[in-house]
């Protein structure tokens, strides 16, 4: 027998689980059953596709055996099993990439939030919530040797050679005080129905059943074994046979989420291709949504046989928050990852699934705005990623995305923004490039405010990149107000500007600012501010360049902004009249630098800026 220490992270995790999850300790059973189900799936798949496994027996079942008197429960499966190495690496170390993330995301208060923990599906270790000793007896399919793994879940575990008649795994739980309540057949049946009813393999429970014996006039206990789940691939049943509760239950058993899903879309396709899809939208975006190694949430089945659940080919990346099942009649059972990538059948299923999900969402947005309002804060951003990458579905996606706006509280869609357009308004306008507060106070919005025209506030950092590729909404132009041409069409004809008198000032400003600006122009978009900066139509804005530089693009040519001045502003009027002395030069720089600041671009040399500011201040006091 050999004794080994757990990795430190495991001990930490164990403590956490035991202390944080006590409000739902029953999930230990869901976790162990789903591990058994996974193990059966894995073996079934191998027996179908791998020569070495084809001759092995496959009699899939999960058995629970209850010993009420001794307060023990075993969970056995006839699945893939584990050898010595597997036992050490899967149960003795953190096998799951998710677990480390999980630990790092949990801080003080969050540790008490069992919802958060539930989302991660803490797996095997949850057994230690209810047991003070756990024994795992396992024999890997194809091996003759079996192994026993024993631990009290505190700091160490032991492994020894053992005997097991057939391949598979048996988990023996010695219930602790907390767990004693589960040494009860009613309780176990209830929990299995709640979480594991639709596991596709049969789950049997062996227990001592009390029955009234009329002859002897007493209740007699007999040992019985009964199947306690429905064990059907629920998604294959027709919609009208299924209740909301069935859908929610399947969702929870698939994902380990505690919360009900927001929506689900269940489709059966018949015709040239036959398949069933059942997609769920979780109430909360998965915690790893923005991590490069996110876990996918759609399982692929072929004729009800589980194939894989970690393929990123099943749905486009931007829909990575979707959970559920794709079950195809037409794919071969031995379909491999490589084949999936260019498989025509899967491509058509995928295309149709995306269309289905998006059109269902569109329906909800139109018919049930309240529900949609729960969806959008969680998933607006991935939809934007879709708008950027999924050309085929652009029109639908752009209608699903929501925006902040100068005209409405909360969020609005483009269709609504369109319906609010003013008679003279030719385009739908938006502003990007900074925090919401910065954008809302930008001088670039002045003319729009004055004319009562709505501007959408795009303050998400991916907005500029995404929307620079979207030029139109239907037949209406979408324009960024920080691009030079956007102001043109709002020009007030009633205020003829005296270009001639401004010309000398424009020249002076250009000379002073030299290489730092591309041009200095008279603005048509300012009301209260003296100056602003804009970029040329086809150039990235100042803020975007800054972002690209931060992301490591250092070889970008230094693009120069255009400075616009407000001919009606007092400072400008005074400057026109003033000869080109030191103060006028300071003023020129300050006009430029304040405009940069308002765009969220830091000033290159703050010390010089402050010197200038102080010179001008000392003159005016
Ligand atoms: P997860 O199921 O998310 O991978 P768990 O902590 O539940 O995490 O299980 C860790 C690993 O232990 C599994 O990935 C699997 O390799 C192995 N394992 C657990 N239970 C079984 C079982 N009944 N049969 C075979 N392998 C198992
Ligand atoms: Mg598990």
């Amino acid at each position: 027998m050999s004794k080994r220490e757990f990795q430190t992270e495991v001990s930490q995790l164990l403590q956490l689980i035991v202390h944080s999850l006590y409000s739902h300790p029953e999930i230990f059973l869901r976790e162990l059953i789903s591990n058994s189900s996974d193990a059966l799936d894995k073996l079934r798949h191998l027996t179908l596709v791998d020569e070495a496994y084809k001759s092995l027996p496959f009699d899939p079942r999960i058995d629970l055996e209850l010993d009420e008197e001794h307060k023990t429960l075993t969970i056995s499966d006839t699945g893939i099993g584990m050898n010595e190495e597997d036992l050490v690496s899967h149960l003795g170390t953190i096998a799951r990439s998710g677990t480390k993330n999980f630990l790092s995301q949990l801080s003080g208060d969050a540790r008490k939030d069992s919802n958060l923990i539930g989302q991660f599906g803490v797996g095997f270790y949850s057994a230690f919530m209810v047991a003070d000793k756990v024994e795992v007896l396992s024999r890997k399919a194809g091996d003759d040797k079996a192994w026993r793994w024993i631990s009290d879940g505190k700091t160490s575990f032991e492994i020894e050679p053992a005997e097991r008649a057939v391949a598979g795994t048996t988990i023996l739980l010695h219930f602790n005080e907390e767990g004693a309540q589960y040494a009860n057949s009613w309780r176990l049946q209830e929990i299995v129905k709640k979480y594991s009813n639709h596991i596709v393999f049969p789950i049997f429970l062996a227990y001592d059943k009390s029955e009234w014996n009329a002859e002897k006039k007493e209740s007699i206990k007999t040992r019985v074994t009964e199947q306690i789940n429905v064990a059907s691939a629920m998604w294959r049943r027709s919609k009208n046979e299924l209740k909301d509760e069935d859908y929610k239950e399947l969702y929870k058993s698939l994902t380990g989420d505690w919360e009900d899903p927001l929506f689900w879309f269940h489709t059966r396709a018949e015709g040239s291709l036959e398949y069933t899809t059942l997609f769920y939208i979780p109430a909360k975006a998965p915690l790893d949504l923005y991590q490069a190694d996110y876990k996918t949430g759609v399982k692929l089945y072929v004729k009800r046989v589980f194939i894989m659940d970690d393929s990123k080919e099943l749905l486009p990346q931007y829909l990575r928050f979707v959970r559920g099942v794709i079950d195809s009649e037409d794919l071969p059972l031995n379909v491999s990852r490589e084949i999936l990538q260019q498989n025509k059948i899967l491509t058509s299923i995928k295309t149709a699934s995306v269309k289905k999900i998006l059109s269902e969402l569109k329906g909800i947005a139109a018919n049930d705005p309240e529900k949609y309002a729960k969806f959008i804060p969680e998933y607006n951003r991935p939809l934007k990623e879709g708008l950027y990458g999924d050309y085929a579905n652009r029109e639908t996606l752009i209608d699903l995305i929501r925006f902040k706006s100068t005209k409405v509280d909360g969020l609005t869609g483009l269709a609504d923004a369109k319906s609010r357009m003013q008679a003279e308004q030719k385009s739908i306008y938006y502003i990007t490039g900074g925090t919401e507060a910065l954008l809302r106070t930008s001088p670039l919005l002045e003319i729009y405010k004055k004319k009562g025209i709505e501007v959408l506030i795009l303050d998400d950092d991916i907005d500029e990149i995404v929307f620079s590729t979207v030029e139109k909404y239907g037949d209406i132009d979408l324009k960024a107000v920080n691009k030079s041409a956007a102001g043109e069409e709002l020009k007030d004809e009633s205020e003829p500007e005296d270009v001639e008198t401004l010309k000398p000032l424009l020249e002076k400003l250009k000379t002073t600012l030299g290489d730092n600006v591309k041009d200095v122009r008279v603005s048509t978009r300012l009301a209260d501010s003296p100056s602003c900066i804009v970029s040329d139509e086809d150039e990235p804005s100042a803020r975007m360049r800054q972002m690209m530089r931060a992301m490591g693009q250092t070889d970008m040519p230094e693009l120069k902004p255009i400075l616009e001045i407000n001919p009606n502003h007092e400072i400008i009027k005074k400057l026109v009249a003033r000869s080109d002395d030191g103060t006028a030069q300071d003023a020129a720089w300050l006009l430029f630098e304040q405009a940069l600041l308002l765009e969220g671009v830091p000033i290159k040399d703050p010390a010089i800026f402050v010197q200038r500011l102080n010179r001008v201040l000392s003159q005016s006091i």
Side-chain angles (χ1 to χ4, degrees):
M1 184 179 298
S2 63
K3 186 171 176 128
R4 312 190 201 190
E5 302 292 306
F6 282 122
Q7 286 194 342
T8 40
E9 283 142 337
V10 176
S11 332
Q12 265 182 347
L13 184 63
L14 290 173
Q15 287 309 308
L16 245 167
I17 291 167
V18 172
H19 291 109
S20 330
L21 270 182
Y22 64 90
S23 56
H24 297 272
E26 65 191 30
I27 60 119
F28 82 91
L29 191 57
R30 177 195 74 191
E31 294 295 332
L32 296 180
I33 288 177
S34 72
N35 282 352
S36 287
S37 167
D38 291 347
L40 288 163
D41 275 332
K42 281 178 202 161
L43 182 57
R44 160 130 81 181
H45 190 229
L46 285 176
T47 58
L48 288 167
V49 303
D50 193 322
E51 282 305 324
Y53 288 85
K54 274 197 175 140
S55 58
L56 294 180
F58 184 60
D59 169 25
R61 56 186 285 152
I62 298 168
D63 279 282
L64 310 183
E65 291 204 31
L66 174 64
D67 183 338
E68 282 187 53
E69 192 188 337
H70 297 102
K71 305 247 179 290
T72 63
L73 176 70
T74 62
I75 297 109
S76 303
D77 61 67
T78 48
I80 183 85
M82 288 175 276
N83 58 23
E84 184 182 19
E85 201 189 324
D86 294 338
L87 283 166
V88 173
S89 71
H90 296 329
L91 305 186
T93 65
I94 300 222
R96 311 179 40 186
S97 60
T99 315
K100 267 189 190 154
N101 280 331
F102 162 70
L103 277 177
S104 66
Q105 298 218 18
L106 288 185
S107 59
D109 278 350
R111 294 184 186 217
K112 297 192 196 88
D113 181 353
S114 51
N115 257 333
L116 185 70
I117 297 171
Q119 260 203 23
F120 276 91
V122 283
F124 172 76
Y125 297 108
S126 59
F128 291 104
M129 289 188 296
V130 295
D132 43 26
K133 184 172 159 196
V134 176
E135 294 178 42
V136 180
L137 172 63
S138 196
R139 178 170 150 192
K140 193 161 185 160
D143 284 4
D144 339 312
K145 276 196 193 140
W147 298 90
R148 179 176 283 110
W149 178 102
I150 307 170
S151 175
D152 61 2
K154 299 225 165 62
T155 53
S156 62
F157 60 89
E158 283 162 13
I159 284 196
E160 61 188 18
E163 297 290 324
R164 198 178 192 281
V166 293
T169 302
T170 301
I171 316 266
L172 167 58
L173 305 177
H174 298 267
F175 284 128
N176 58 19
E177 219 173 295
E178 170 86 53
Q181 54 178 310
Y182 303 106
N184 172 306
S185 62
W186 286 110
R187 198 65 214 280
L188 293 176
Q189 295 189 45
E190 180 188 84
I191 302 170
V192 168
K193 290 232 157 58
K194 179 165 170 194
Y195 295 108
S196 315
N197 212 10
H198 294 286
I199 294 278
V200 294
F201 305 104
I203 302 170
F204 297 94
L205 174 65
Y207 66 104
D208 296 324
K209 195 173 190 168
S210 311
E211 262 165 333
W212 184 252
N213 186 306
E215 263 170 48
K216 293 186 180 167
K217 296 208 175 7
E218 62 178 2
S219 97
I220 293 180
K221 285 194 171 174
T222 34
R223 189 75 177 167
V224 297
T225 300
E226 292 170 351
Q227 183 172 339
I228 54 173
N229 69 333
V230 300
S232 72
M234 190 206 92
W235 56 89
R236 300 289 298 264
R237 303 198 352 235
S238 85
K239 277 192 210 178
N240 45 29
E241 277 177 48
L242 294 165
K243 295 194 286 290
D244 282 2
E245 285 316 312
D246 296 323
Y247 284 109
K248 290 177 187 170
E249 196 185 295
L250 177 68
Y251 169 76
K252 288 177 183 168
S253 73
L254 281 175
T255 60
D257 196 349
W258 300 90
E259 273 187 82
D260 289 340
L262 276 184
F263 336 111
W264 54 85
F265 316 130
H266 188 187
T267 315
R268 177 173 299 170
E270 274 154 359
S272 60
L273 282 183
E274 276 184 46
Y275 59 88
T276 302
T277 55
L278 172 53
F279 295 121
Y280 290 97
I281 312 291
K284 293 273 171 325
L287 290 162
D288 62 358
L289 192 62
Y290 299 113
Q291 284 164 9
D293 60 346
Y294 66 89
K295 262 195 165 181
T296 55
V298 176
K299 293 182 196 260
L300 178 66
Y301 286 77
V302 172
K303 299 190 185 78
R304 301 180 190 215
V305 175
F306 171 82
I307 304 295
M308 63 182 83
D309 63 358
D310 56 350
S311 169
K312 298 193 173 169
E313 301 300 323
L314 300 179
L315 283 180
Q317 184 167 346
Y318 73 92
L319 292 178
R320 61 191 176 276
F321 56 87
V322 175
R323 302 292 181 247
V325 169
I326 296 177
D327 190 352
S328 157
E329 292 293 309
D330 307 290
L331 284 169
L333 275 174
N334 62 353
V335 62
S336 72
R337 254 161 243 289
E338 295 66 42
I339 292 176
L340 272 188
Q341 285 179 13
Q342 349 100 5
N343 182 283
K344 285 214 186 80
I345 297 171
L346 192 73
T347 309
S348 343
I349 296 178
K350 180 173 170 179
T351 309
S353 297
V354 174
K355 285 229 152 35
K356 173 75 184 170
I357 292 169
L358 297 182
S359 74
E360 290 278 352
L361 289 174
K362 203 171 165 178
I364 294 165
N367 305 322
D368 196 346
E370 246 170 64
K371 250 191 171 179
Y372 197 68
K374 287 187 188 148
F375 167 83
I376 211 66
E378 300 292 322
Y379 304 111
N380 210 19
R381 190 179 161 124
L383 293 181
K384 288 176 190 171
E385 293 173 26
L387 184 64
Y388 186 74
D390 185 355
Y391 283 87
N393 292 298
R394 278 208 142 181
E395 280 184 21
T396 320
L397 280 160
I398 200 163
D399 268 323
L400 290 175
I401 293 167
R402 294 290 177 266
F403 308 89
K404 292 174 186 154
S405 152
T406 54
K407 271 288 172 68
V408 291
D409 289 335
L411 298 169
T412 186
L414 280 177
D416 289 336
K418 183 178 167 185
S419 71
R420 284 189 293 264
M421 282 172 76
Q422 307 286 313
E424 55 175 329
Q425 187 180 344
K426 299 192 187 78
S427 313
I428 292 179
Y429 300 99
Y430 64 84
I431 182 166
T432 60
T435 61
E436 180 177 358
L438 195 70
L439 295 178
R440 284 196 187 273
T441 53
S442 167
L444 296 174
L445 297 186
E446 288 167 5
I447 184 78
Y448 301 90
K449 275 184 197 145
K450 199 169 144 198
K451 297 192 174 227
I453 290 175
E454 175 165 11
V455 179
L456 303 173
I457 309 285
L458 274 58
D459 62 340
D460 198 341
D461 55 11
I462 64 168
D463 282 341
E464 180 158 352
I465 300 169
V466 172
F467 288 92
S468 63
T469 66
V470 185
E471 281 164 2
K472 282 189 178 291
Y473 174 64
D475 52 357
I476 296 177
D477 288 335
L478 280 184
K479 286 197 174 154
V481 304
N482 27 343
K483 293 290 161 86
S484 59
E488 286 300 305
E489 56 192 50
L490 294 177
K491 208 181 262 173
D492 243 329
E493 303 301 343
S494 58
E495 297 168 24
E497 12 169 279
D498 197 347
V499 183
E500 286 309 309
T501 54
L502 286 165
K503 256 192 180 158
L505 175 62
L506 293 177
E507 284 310 318
K508 269 190 281 179
L509 290 172
K510 258 183 251 183
T511 324
T512 309
L513 299 174
D515 263 359
N516 292 283
V517 291
K518 183 166 182 177
D519 198 6
V520 182
R521 294 178 191 162
V522 176
S523 186
T524 53
R525 65 183 101 214
L526 293 171
D528 306 322
S529 303
S531 63
C532 64
I533 58 167
V534 296
S535 3
D536 248 345
E537 269 308 273
D538 48 359
E539 283 175 355
S541 72
R543 169 80 180 198
M544 173 107 132
R545 284 204 299 276
Q546 194 195 328
M547 255 178 66
M548 287 159 79
R549 218 169 286 128
M551 283 168 5
Q553 277 210 29
T554 44
D555 57 343
M556 270 184 313
E558 186 64 43
L559 284 176
K560 293 163 197 153
I562 298 163
L563 177 68
E564 288 194 354
I565 55 167
N566 177 359
N568 303 316
H569 197 279
E570 256 205 79
I571 296 180
I572 304 298
K573 284 184 185 155
K574 283 185 177 162
L575 272 180
V576 171
R578 191 170 177 121
S579 60
D580 187 17
D581 56 5
T583 309
Q585 294 202 355
D586 280 340
W589 279 103
L590 289 172
L591 284 174
F592 177 56
E593 287 165 332
Q594 61 164 281
L596 281 177
L597 277 178
L598 286 176
E599 264 274 285
V601 180
I603 293 174
K604 270 196 206 124
D605 196 335
I608 296 186
F609 168 76
V610 171
Q611 282 167 21
R612 269 186 207 120
L613 190 63
N614 287 337
R615 276 201 296 273
V616 174
L617 270 179
S618 71
Q619 287 200 6
S620 61
I621 292 170

